[in-house]
Structure formats: C-alpha cells, structure tokens
C-alpha cells in the first residue's frame, strides 16, 4: 500500500492521504463508491478516446466496476472523504490481469481530471508494476503489457502524449492486436479505422 509522503519514482504525489490498494470486496456493494469510480473512468476516457468511438459511447458501467472489485483485478487510488473519514473518494484506478506465470496486463487506467499532474497516475503505475514483479516475477523477470487504441485517420493528441509517457517509462511497442476479435461488441461503435497497439515492459 502506498501512502502519501512515500517517495515513489523520485517524488511523492500531491494528493492528501492517498492510499493505493485493491479495495475490499464490500465496496463492490457501495453504490456511491462504484458510481463515483464509474464517472471518473468515463470522464477520463471521454477525452482520452474522443473521436475514436461514435457519440454516446461510455467506457464502463457501475456493474462492471463492481465486478472488477469483486474479482480483485481493480486497483484504486483513494483519499478520505472531507465529510467523514469512514468514506473514501476514488481518485484513480488501474486494472491488473495476470495472463501467465510471468505476464500481466494493465488496463482501465484513469485519474480524476482535477487530479491530473498530481502524481497519482505515476503512483498507480508504479504500484501496478511492483505488483507484477512481486506476483509474476518468480524467475526474477516479469512482463507488464498494456494496449493502446489509436486512430489512424487523424492525429489524437492525447494518445500521442500517452504513448510518449509510456515510452519514457520503459514500454516498447511490440505489435498489434485485432480489436474486433478482442471486443466484438465494441468494434461496431468505432468512428473510424484504428490500430490496437501492444506495449510491453520487462520488470526486473
């Protein structure tokens, strides 16, 4: 668990009393928490995937968020509610799916828009990579994998920035996948041609 004030990759995040963890399964039944997290993700992806999908597309739903919490694949960054310390406010999230003995896939990466630049995104990625190394690095090597959906009919400035950020973190483009094969129900909602790029980072 990373707490505010811990130095991660150079400097601490600016968020007050930040906690990063797999939330307790009971939070899957907390409608306020799952709704807030759903809105956070959808707001972030509405910008990150603007123009990639047809109007009306939403990245996730409260029921999907709840299922991710129940199955233990969603990591959440949160801070105490200013109204009561018994409640926590989600500030960001990232999913971790173990694919093989030494490989895990990272996804559903989002930070509350008002928290961008606070270091939460970096802290979430650091936490996820450490989890991958601790849980997929039995031989001393683990591979973190992530996918990036990039339109090929226009330059998406957010995707350009994100690719640069991943590259600076040590991720390398290793190929592409068929989005329609992975997500057959979502492919018809694409607004134009895209490339589903795969990035990997070796963790040691």
């Amino acid at each position: 668990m990373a707490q505010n004030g811990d130095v991660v990759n150079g400097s601490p995040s600016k968020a007050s009393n930040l906690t990063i963890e797999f939330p307790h399964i009971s939070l899957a039944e907390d409608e306020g928490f799952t709704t807030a997290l759903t809105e956070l993700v959808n707001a972030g992806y509405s910008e990150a995937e603007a123009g990639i999908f047809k109007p009306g597309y939403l990245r996730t739903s409260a029921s999907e968020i709840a299922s991710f919490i129940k199955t233990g694949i969603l990591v959440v960054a949160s801070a105490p509610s200013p109204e009561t310390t018994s409640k926590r406010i989600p500030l960001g999230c990232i999913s971790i799916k173990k694919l093989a003995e030494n490989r895990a896939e990272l996804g559903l990466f989002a930070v509350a828009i008002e928290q961008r630049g606070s270091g939460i995104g970096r802290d979430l990625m650091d936490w996820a990579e450490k989890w991958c190394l601790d849980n997929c690095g039995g031989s001393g090597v683990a591979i973190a994998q992530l996918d990036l959906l990039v339109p090929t009919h226009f330059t998406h400035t957010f995707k350009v920035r994100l690719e640069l950020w991943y590259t600076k973190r040590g991720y390398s483009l290793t190929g592409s996948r068929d989005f329609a094969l992975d997500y057959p129900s979502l492919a018809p909602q694409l607004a134009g041609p895209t490339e589903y790029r795969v990035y990997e980072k070796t963790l040691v």
Side-chain angles (χ1 to χ4, degrees):
M1 180 183 300
Q3 299 288 345
N4 182 54
D6 290 346
V7 176
V8 183
N9 196 25
S11 61
S13 68
K14 301 173 186 176
S16 177
N17 299 316
L18 180 72
T19 297
I20 299 178
E21 63 186 352
F22 287 105
H24 191 274
I25 191 172
S26 63
L27 284 174
E29 307 299 332
D30 186 326
E31 185 176 346
F33 187 83
T34 57
T35 296
L37 195 48
T38 302
E39 292 175 350
L40 180 158
V41 172
N42 286 334
Y45 274 83
S46 67
E47 178 183 353
E49 296 183 333
I52 296 177
F53 289 93
K54 296 174 182 177
Y57 166 77
L58 292 175
R59 177 62 180 81
T60 192
S61 64
S63 60
E64 183 177 57
I65 290 293
S67 71
F68 288 165
I69 293 174
K70 288 179 181 178
T71 54
I73 65 169
L74 190 65
V75 176
V76 178
S78 65
S81 166
E83 300 174 357
T84 170
T85 56
S86 64
K87 295 284 187 179
R88 299 196 66 81
I89 304 299
L91 302 178
C93 64
I94 188 168
S95 64
I96 308 175
K97 298 179 183 178
K98 191 170 182 177
L99 301 179
E101 191 62 31
N102 73 328
R103 179 184 293 269
E105 180 182 54
L106 309 181
L108 205 69
F109 182 37
V111 173
I113 292 175
E114 66 274 13
Q115 292 292 335
R116 288 181 182 170
S118 69
I120 292 176
R122 178 208 59 216
D123 288 356
L124 274 166
M125 187 63 72
D126 286 343
W127 197 101
E129 290 177 356
K130 185 178 185 305
W131 186 96
C132 291
L133 187 58
D134 291 345
N135 294 274
C136 302
S139 62
V141 177
I143 298 173
Q145 170 185 314
L146 55 86
D147 306 318
L148 204 59
L149 189 62
V150 181
T152 57
H153 57 299
F154 71 96
T155 299
H156 198 295
T157 55
F158 192 96
K159 295 292 185 178
V160 172
R161 294 199 307 271
L162 196 54
E163 283 184 291
L164 179 60
W165 191 73
Y166 286 141
T167 299
K168 286 183 176 179
R169 287 193 62 93
Y171 287 84
S172 300
L173 179 64
T174 59
S176 62
R177 293 162 63 177
D178 187 338
F179 184 77
L181 186 63
D182 285 359
Y183 301 98
S185 64
L186 294 182
Q189 297 190 52
L190 290 171
T194 60
E195 190 173 68
Y196 196 37
R197 299 172 184 171
V198 180
Y199 288 80
E200 294 181 0
K201 178 179 179 179
T202 300
L203 308 169
V204 294

